[in-house]
Amino acid sequence: QVQLVESGGGLMQPGGSLRLSCVASGRIFNPNTMGWYRQAPGKQRELVATITNGGGTNYADSVKGRFTISRDSARNTASLQMNSLKPEDTAVYYCNVRFPILARDFWGQGTQVTVSS
């Protein structure tokens, strides 16, 4: 019904930047929230940032001031600009879209981000 594909992950030095992209396909309708979550080895998946179709954003405290989420609803895409990367940002990053009317979430397959010197 809905598929999400992430891209843009990779290896980056601490202090560097990466931009993740998520392309959604299928039936995307409003209202909805798109977001990025991450899961580090041995840890539970955690929220990174979300953005509503109206543009409202929410960020984890650990990424505030460093990461910026944006979306292009017409293209059904969401991006995560990650600046000032830290080793603790290393994780698999997953794209998410949430439809409150359906009470349903859809997830991408994840893209690896590794921050290391």
Side-chain angles (χ1 to χ4, degrees), residues 12-78:
M12 182 57 62
Q13 294 268 311
S17 297
L18 286 172
R19 186 175 180 87
L20 305 183
S21 295
C22 172
V23 179
S25 62
R27 187 81 180 276
I28 309 299
F29 56 90
N30 294 330
N32 71 78
T33 298
M34 297 190 74
W36 289 93
Y37 296 72
R38 66 187 182 188
Q39 187 167 23
K43 296 184 178 180
Q44 295 186 3
R45 189 172 299 184
E46 64 176 354
L47 180 147
V48 177
T50 61
I51 183 167
T52 69
N53 56 273
T57 58
N58 181 50
Y59 295 93
D61 288 341
S62 60
V63 307
K64 286 182 179 178
R66 300 189 298 120
F67 292 8
T68 302
I69 189 170
S70 61
R71 67 182 291 167
D72 184 340
S73 294
R75 292 176 173 266
N76 294 325
T77 62

